[in-house]
Amino acid sequence: MSIPKVTVIIEDSCTGGTTVNGPYATTEQLADLAATVQEQGQAITQLQESGGGGTGPQGPAGPQGPAGANGKSAYEIAVQNGFSGTEEQWLDSLIGPQGPQGIQGPQGPAGSGEGGSEDLQARNAANTWGGWRMPHGYYAPSAAHPVVASISKNPSNPVLTRGAPGSFDAGSLRDAFVFRARAALWLLYTAASTDVTPYHPTIGLARSLDNGLTWTKLGQVIVPNPVASQWNSGAVFSPCAVYDDTTDELHVYVSATVLPGQWYTGPIVIGYLHCAAGANWASPASYVWHPTPVLEPSGLSWEGNQGNYSPDVRILNGQLTMFWMTNQNSGSESGATDPYMGVATAPMGSWTGPWTKKPAYLLGNLSGLKVEEAATLQMPNGHLIQVLDAAGMHPQPDYWYTTDPSGLTGWTYGGTLFSDLEAWESVVGSSSLCWLDDGRALLTYNGKASGSSTDAREIGVRWLTFEGTLADRLNQAAPSSGVIGSVIFNGTAPGSASCTGVVQSVTAIDAGGGNTQFRVNFNQPVARYTMSIIGSDDQVTATIAYISSSGLNAPNVDANGFQFYCASSGGQPRVPRFVAVTVFG
């Protein structure tokens, strides 16, 4: 009995036809096919019910049959199914559109010969190293040093709270370090199972997919060495990380002690762990310890007996720079008296050192103020800002800044960062900073409730806007004289752009090769104005002034609007982020 092969049948709502393995079939053909299947299905059922159809013994092999006729080519089958072009045209039709760019491959081996330093500089310029360096951000500072324009709280603070009784973070969450990687924000934090000594601190991980608004705990990821009496077998805490977005490697630094109770008293050393490309950061097995400390007490006159702790590693001027803390301690948690910030450097790529300490401390105590646990952020012009714990002298965080891109000199006290504290954060410390794609900076920190006699801390988030950034400009209200209209593209198509003020609409003209001409149209004639375009890389790409109706200083600029050109990137169309129209002075 001949049983037809069952084929996939897909209705086409656009044409009314039905696809059966490619060509269209009519309703009558489908009806015939259904009747055939039903008829032969009934025959099979009758055969089964009669008890026939048992399997017999295998017969002998038959003789080889004659060679079959050559089958039709793929092109001939295409013609049979309706293709009307030539074979060359059919071959061209098989080539689909270019696919999306693949993921970044692993970093190749280091080259030899001249030009290596230039390659390194180019790599550093393109790499945001986990978000502490601002990613191509528009920045026109209004002052000679970084100035915070606004701070907003996360309405869900604290965003990370203590875990259930018996969990690894049931007692306290602190020392949060935030970084950007893999299209998300990640937070390494010190976790304690109790809020009283000994704390038995370990390190947990959390992740945010919405710029820090909400966070998901991913569990405990770094624990002490299980072998007793080792330099890292007691407590691990105060993490920092550098993410290399060219290799997908994660470089982690932590403070470590021999015994759990030495978290506050010391001696403390700094260790290093490595996560390979593609590693699952939520798995403790992904974090591989370097066998020895990378930074430990070395006998400097200002180095305290608490040891070296709270690392903050950055890439500055083509080398690794580690800000670290030391402290004189009388042997108890309450004995922390004289914290100092030191700095050490290592060659780029030498993540485990050797680290060279600068002989003089970078920051020491001011009158009535102590420095502790740096959180560093770099502005696009190289200036640096650090948010520091006040070390118990007052509850608010303070900040320092320097215009030295190396971070080795010129640190100046800037003042208190914020003081509008809530009940859960009556004492604030252990901050971290990270740039976001929208030009804001994310600040994470821990808070301790008022009147708490224990170390029951939790983690909160605030967003900072710095003067001169794109985020700052977008937050400012348009004055009556000054900005009279704007277009906010922010990656959207022109028809979806947000137009304000005198700007009525935006149209786009294809200029070929992915390049685009944009025309900004006014709702009324404007005699004198300037316009500034911030490109898709957040840099000011053009500033054009319209002088008067009697003369133009650029083509396609007049009282009713202007036209500008936006080049493609790798053949892909781009749109600007922001266009401002301002009264011409």
Side-chain angles (χ1 to χ4, degrees):
M1 179 180 294
S2 174
I3 300 178
K5 178 181 178 182
V6 178
T7 58
V8 178
I9 302 174
I10 305 173
E11 292 186 358
D12 189 330
S13 61
C14 296
T15 63
T18 305
T19 301
V20 182
N21 281 2
Y24 283 94
T26 64
T27 303
E28 291 77 8
Q29 290 173 324
L30 291 176
D32 291 342
L33 175 62
T36 301
V37 172
Q38 181 178 9
E39 176 185 347
Q40 296 182 359
Q42 292 172 349
I44 293 172
T45 301
Q46 293 171 0
L47 181 63
Q48 292 172 337
E49 292 175 350
S50 67
T55 303
Q58 181 174 346
Q64 181 175 350
N70 291 333
K72 293 182 179 181
S73 69
Y75 168 69
E76 291 172 332
I77 294 175
V79 171
Q80 179 180 324
N81 288 333
F83 187 82
S84 60
T86 66
E87 186 170 0
E88 182 177 358
Q89 291 171 331
W90 176 74
L91 290 172
D92 290 340
S93 72
L94 300 179
I95 303 174
Q98 180 177 347
Q101 181 176 343
I103 62 173
Q104 173 72 44
Q107 181 184 358
S112 59
E114 297 182 358
S117 61
E118 295 178 359
D119 294 340
L120 177 62
Q121 291 173 4
R123 178 182 170 203
N124 285 342
N127 195 320
T128 63
W129 298 105
W132 76 275
R133 178 179 292 171
M134 189 174 186
H136 309 293
Y138 170 79
Y139 184 59
S142 58
H145 58 82
V147 176
V148 177
S150 62
I151 302 177
S152 58
K153 298 179 183 179
N154 189 323
S156 301
N157 276 343
V159 295
L160 289 177
T161 58
R162 290 181 293 162
S167 63
F168 77 100
D169 60 357
S172 181
L173 292 82
R174 56 180 301 164
D175 305 338
F177 186 91
V178 64
F179 63 96
R180 222 173 52 174
R182 299 177 178 177
L185 289 173
W186 305 79
L187 192 80
L188 290 166
Y189 63 93
T190 299
S193 57
T194 68
D195 58 358
V196 295
T197 57
Y199 298 99
H200 298 281
T202 59
I203 293 174
L205 180 70
R207 181 180 61 191
S208 173
L209 301 177
D210 53 13
N211 278 341
L213 184 63
T214 58
W215 293 84
T216 300
K217 289 183 181 180
L218 301 179
Q220 185 182 53
V221 295
I222 301 176
V223 298
N225 189 337
V227 179
S229 302
Q230 302 300 306
W231 61 272
N232 56 352
S233 57
V236 289
F237 55 98
S238 297
C240 79
V242 180
Y243 174 66
D244 189 339
D245 56 13
T246 66
T247 65
D248 192 44
E249 293 175 280
L250 187 65
H251 306 276
V252 182
Y253 296 84
V254 299
S255 308
T257 65
V258 176
L259 299 174
Q262 295 172 328
W263 180 8
Y264 273 103
T265 61
I268 307 170
V269 297
I270 294 174
Y272 167 83
L273 302 96
H274 176 254
C275 291
N280 175 13
W281 296 340
S283 170
S286 297
Y287 298 80
V288 180
W289 281 100
H290 184 66
T292 58
V294 297
L295 201 74
E296 52 190 329
S298 54
L300 296 174
S301 60
W302 47 274
E303 235 174 349
N305 60 7
Q306 195 173 0
N308 298 170
Y309 61 95
S310 295
D312 188 25
V313 177
R314 307 298 182 181
I315 291 87
L316 297 173
N317 282 12
Q319 66 179 353
L320 298 176
T321 301
M322 179 191 295
F323 302 104
W324 54 277
M325 298 302 305
T326 188
N327 203 331
Q328 293 289 343
N329 193 289
S330 62
S332 66
E333 180 178 335
S334 61
T337 55
D338 296 311
Y340 289 91
M341 180 189 295
V343 63
T345 58
M348 184 61 204
S350 299
W351 301 101
T352 60
W355 289 89
T356 302
K357 291 182 180 179
K358 299 303 178 184
Y361 63 83
L362 191 65
L363 286 177
N365 296 337
L366 300 176
S367 177
L369 185 68
K370 298 178 181 180
V371 296
E372 189 87 79
E373 297 172 342
T376 312
L377 196 68
Q378 187 180 50
M379 314 303 289
N381 62 355
H383 295 177
L384 298 168
I385 185 171
Q386 286 188 346
V387 177
L388 301 175
D389 187 346
M393 297 303 295
H394 63 81
Q396 305 92 347
D398 299 282
Y399 73 96
W400 275 252
Y401 62 84
T402 181
T403 59
D404 176 7
S406 73
L408 303 180
T409 63
W411 287 96
T412 303
Y413 178 63
T416 296
L417 190 61
F418 61 84
S419 57
D420 55 333
L421 304 178
E422 299 177 357
W424 74 272
E425 55 180 355
S426 62
V427 176
V428 171
S430 302
S431 305
S432 180
L433 289 163
C434 176
W435 286 111
L436 303 177
D437 280 328
D438 59 11
R440 295 177 299 165
L442 183 77
L443 173 73
T444 63
Y445 59 96
N446 72 65
K448 178 179 176 181
S450 176
S452 174
S453 59
T454 67
D455 203 50
R457 298 175 183 265
E458 296 176 316
I459 294 173
V461 163
R462 299 193 184 210
W463 293 279
L464 278 60
T465 300
F466 289 89
E467 286 187 4
T469 59
L470 175 62
D472 180 34
R473 291 187 61 177
L474 295 180
N475 284 339
Q476 295 176 7
S480 57
S481 62
V483 177
I484 58 172
S486 66
V487 184
I488 301 176
F489 291 84
N490 202 24
T492 62
S496 302
S498 176
C499 301
T500 63
V502 73
V503 177
Q504 178 176 336
S505 63
V506 183
T507 55
I509 305 169
D510 185 4
N515 304 315
T516 308
Q517 291 275 0
F518 290 94
R519 171 73 184 181
V520 176
N521 305 298
F522 296 162
N523 56 23
Q524 64 187 53
V526 181
R528 299 162 65 86
Y529 64 87
T530 61
M531 46 76 72
S532 297
I533 305 166
I534 299 174
S536 58
D537 56 358
D538 284 352
Q539 301 293 335
V540 175
T541 59
T543 300
I544 300 174
Y546 174 65
I547 305 300
S548 67
S549 58
S550 61
L552 304 177
N553 74 330
N556 303 315
V557 178
D558 55 51
N560 296 310
F562 54 87
Q563 195 163 309
F564 63 93
Y565 179 82
C566 193
S568 66
S569 174
Q572 299 300 313
R574 296 194 304 173
V575 296
R577 285 181 180 261
F578 180 73
V579 175
V581 182
T582 309
V583 172
F584 185 74

